[in-house]
Amino acid sequence: MSDPQEIRPEARKARGLIDRRGRDLVAERRIVTAVAGLYERWGFEPLETPAFEFADALGKFLPDADRPNEGVFAFQDDDDQWLALRYDLTAPLARFAAEHWQTLAKPYRRYAFGPVWRNEKPGPGRFREFLQCDADTVGSDRPEADAEIIAMAVEGLTAAGVPEGGAVVKINTRKLLNGLLDRAGVSDGAQRLSVLRAIDKLDRLGADGVRDLLGKGRLDDSGAFTKGAELNGEQIGAVLTFLTAATAGRASALDVLADVVGGSAEGDQGLEELARIDAALTGLGVGEDQALFDPAVVRGLEYYTGAVFEAELILKGPVESLKLGSVGGGGRYDDLVARFTGERTPATGFSFGVSRLAVALQAIRGEAAQTRGPVVVIAFDEASMPAYFEVATELRAAGIPAEVYLGRSGMKAQMKYADRRQSPAAILMGEDEIKAGTVTIKDLDLGRELAAGTDLSTWKSERPGQQTVPRGQMVAVVKGIIDAL
């Protein structure tokens, strides 16, 4: 009997965290397995770094405060040093590269996957703990290294299960943006930041909304006013022309961009880099519908030093309604290793948001495709348990997930259990079947289809819902049920 004075904790979890059950974990594992295999085929080696890093190694996310916990989850060790859960997989890579640079084969090509933690506001498809899968090249300043990362991202989306034509990787470089602002005569730092913020809202507000934010400002439907960048009409026109390059193919986009940013030092550098990326992508077989130049991509421009890229789903229907946005992104970050060494080290990489991509793929495929459980062997009596285990062992030896029901409920409850597990079939062996060397197989997949109202009259006549077969035919019959779904 429990103590009435005992204080019990409330069963609860922190905001922005989720419990992942079988379906979610299987979906994420499939993505990681597919993408990691792709990275290895491209010559990238795996690396695993600790979940914790010294907080100063993640310094770009931290304010100057007594407790450096903005953006990360941090705690003080017993030696008074601050540790933090890693925010991404890139900062640990930079620390590792700086620590082992003299012994690494260079360029250093690595991939990594694992959970990361962010102390920020959660939202739809956005969690405070989630899984990432990255690939990075450290030590090459070639634009072709960026192109290779982009090509892997394109191939990785397909490997993960995104349907053909269902995603696109958008490419930009901060050098183009800097060239645009230089040529337009926008030199004030705060004004430049306002322009970038306006560009970043193109997808949500459209060209008219961006035009307002580039000028005096914008009044939204709620009556709230957002102050604009205060550009003049000629400057606004240059920015909007710059943004139209996304509607052209890669080569055509370069022509449009050259008219707007050409003649500025950084703009010309950016154009040359994109031209080399385009040529490499063409050589890698990446079509213009799979990767395109989009000047509206402004992700993390204080972090990235050159090319930036972002993978977006372009599917309609249930995935679009989730408003997941980007499912991966990356770019060139030539200053990150230098935080440790003082020497600029070129680097580029891409990260898949595995958890977010898994949510999207489940919406594409439907949950049923992700929830297949094991074959359940129904337990009728204690004395026959060894026979039940023999059947389950035989199924598992044939590569079929199987289990013996180990509760103490009756047959009706056991069948309900198998249905909840989304089992393809249940094996029934009473005393008569055991003596005769047979098993009765109940097709639960068929039952679920019939219960859903699917017209399966022809199929049902050819595929019985329940059949008794010799033990030697059991594996073949069960495989037929599994393969038929």
Side-chain angles (χ1 to χ4, degrees):
M1 186 173 180
S2 62
D3 183 353
Q5 301 301 316
E6 180 183 358
I7 298 176
R8 298 184 180 88
E10 180 184 353
R12 68 199 191 281
K13 60 180 178 293
R15 183 170 59 95
L17 303 179
I18 61 171
D19 296 314
R20 293 179 172 87
R21 295 190 63 185
R23 182 192 72 230
D24 302 316
L25 293 174
V26 167
E28 292 184 353
R29 187 189 309 150
R30 285 174 178 165
I31 293 172
V32 168
T33 300
V35 174
L38 165 71
Y39 290 156
E40 290 191 0
R41 289 194 299 275
W42 284 67
F44 287 70
E45 70 168 66
L47 172 69
E48 184 172 281
T49 57
F52 294 105
E53 294 282 344
F54 285 112
D56 58 6
L58 308 175
K60 83 180 192 66
F61 301 109
L62 306 176
D64 294 324
D66 291 337
R67 177 174 170 80
N69 63 350
E70 184 171 326
V72 298
F73 294 98
F75 64 94
Q76 202 163 18
D77 203 355
D78 53 10
D79 61 358
D80 295 329
Q81 296 195 67
W82 283 97
L83 297 174
L85 283 168
R86 61 192 181 201
Y87 185 95
D88 62 12
L89 299 176
T90 311
L93 167 64
R95 187 268 307 158
F96 174 85
E99 192 174 0
H100 300 280
W101 191 244
Q102 297 305 317
T103 62
L104 293 174
K106 295 176 275 290
Y108 176 55
R109 296 153 69 86
R110 87 87 173 91
Y111 78 86
F113 60 86
V116 298
W117 297 265
R118 297 187 180 180
N119 188 6
E120 59 188 19
K121 184 178 180 180
R126 183 184 295 275
F127 311 116
R128 297 168 86 180
E129 178 187 8
F130 55 95
L131 200 64
Q132 287 189 331
C133 190
D134 293 17
D136 296 79
T137 298
V138 184
S140 175
D141 61 358
R142 290 177 174 273
E144 290 79 7
D146 299 308
E148 184 180 58
I149 292 289
I150 294 165
M152 283 199 305
V154 169
E155 190 174 334
L157 288 163
T158 301
V162 176
E164 183 178 356
V168 64
V169 177
K170 299 180 177 181
I171 309 160
N172 193 16
T173 171
R174 73 173 289 167
K175 293 179 180 179
L176 289 185
L177 292 164
N178 289 343
L180 168 70
L181 297 176
D182 288 344
R183 185 164 164 178
V186 182
S187 57
D188 179 74
Q191 193 177 28
R192 290 169 78 106
L193 183 60
S194 295
V195 172
L196 295 180
R197 287 174 175 166
I199 292 173
D200 196 33
K201 293 179 173 61
L202 179 64
D203 283 346
R204 184 165 61 88
L205 301 180
D208 289 339
V210 171
R211 181 182 287 105
D212 291 340
L213 289 176
L214 292 173
K216 298 297 183 182
R218 179 177 180 272
L219 187 69
D220 65 22
D221 294 338
S222 69
F225 181 77
T226 302
K227 188 176 183 299
E230 299 283 354
L231 300 187
N232 60 40
E234 184 178 350
Q235 292 170 324
I236 292 173
V239 173
L240 293 177
T241 300
F242 177 77
L243 296 179
T244 63
T247 62
R250 290 198 299 259
S252 300
L254 290 174
D255 292 336
V256 174
L257 293 169
D259 289 339
V260 184
V261 305
S264 67
E266 275 202 275
D268 287 340
Q269 287 179 12
L271 289 169
E272 181 184 357
E273 289 177 7
L274 289 186
R276 290 176 62 179
I277 288 173
D278 174 42
L281 289 176
T282 301
L284 288 163
V286 178
E288 296 196 347
D289 58 334
Q290 297 173 303
L292 55 84
F293 295 144
D294 186 348
V297 175
V298 296
R299 56 177 291 124
L301 287 179
E302 294 181 5
Y303 174 77
Y304 293 108
T305 58
V308 291
F309 14 92
E310 193 164 80
E312 290 187 6
L313 296 177
I314 52 176
L315 298 158
K316 302 299 182 181
V319 179
E320 185 182 43
S321 67
L322 290 174
K323 300 186 183 303
L324 294 175
S326 170
V327 293
R332 176 162 289 280
Y333 52 95
D334 292 345
D335 293 333
L336 201 57
V337 177
R339 293 188 59 248
F340 301 93
T341 65
E343 297 181 5
R344 198 171 213 226
T345 304
T348 183
F350 182 88
S351 175
F352 278 103
V354 176
S355 302
R356 184 178 292 194
L357 184 55
V359 170
L361 292 177
Q362 286 177 20
I364 294 169
R365 299 168 180 163
E367 290 188 356
Q370 305 291 331
T371 55
R372 177 62 68 87
V375 172
V376 174
V377 181
I378 303 299
F380 285 97
D381 61 80
E382 297 285 343
S384 299
M385 290 297 287
Y388 304 147
F389 282 119
E390 287 178 5
V391 166
T393 299
E394 186 176 342
L395 290 166
R396 288 194 287 264
I400 300 171
E403 66 170 88
V404 177
Y405 179 78
L406 293 177
R408 295 189 178 276
S409 301
M411 179 178 171
K412 184 176 180 180
Q414 293 186 51
M415 295 301 296
K416 186 175 182 179
Y417 168 84
D419 192 56
R420 284 184 171 177
R421 292 296 309 276
Q422 291 288 306
S423 301
I427 305 296
L428 295 81
M429 293 173 56
E431 185 177 350
D432 291 342
E433 283 93 349
I434 293 174
K435 287 180 179 179
T438 62
V439 296
T440 296
I441 303 172
K442 188 170 182 63
D443 187 339
L444 300 180
D445 278 346
L446 177 62
R448 278 187 285 270
E449 293 287 348
L450 292 171
T454 307
D455 182 8
L456 300 174
S457 55
T458 302
W459 185 22
K460 187 179 179 183
S461 66
E462 298 174 353
R463 176 180 167 183
Q466 181 170 305
Q467 55 185 309
T468 300
V469 301
R471 176 79 168 269
Q473 298 178 18
M474 174 185 66
V475 168
V477 172
V478 173
K479 282 188 174 180
I481 292 171
I482 294 172
D483 294 342
L485 185 63

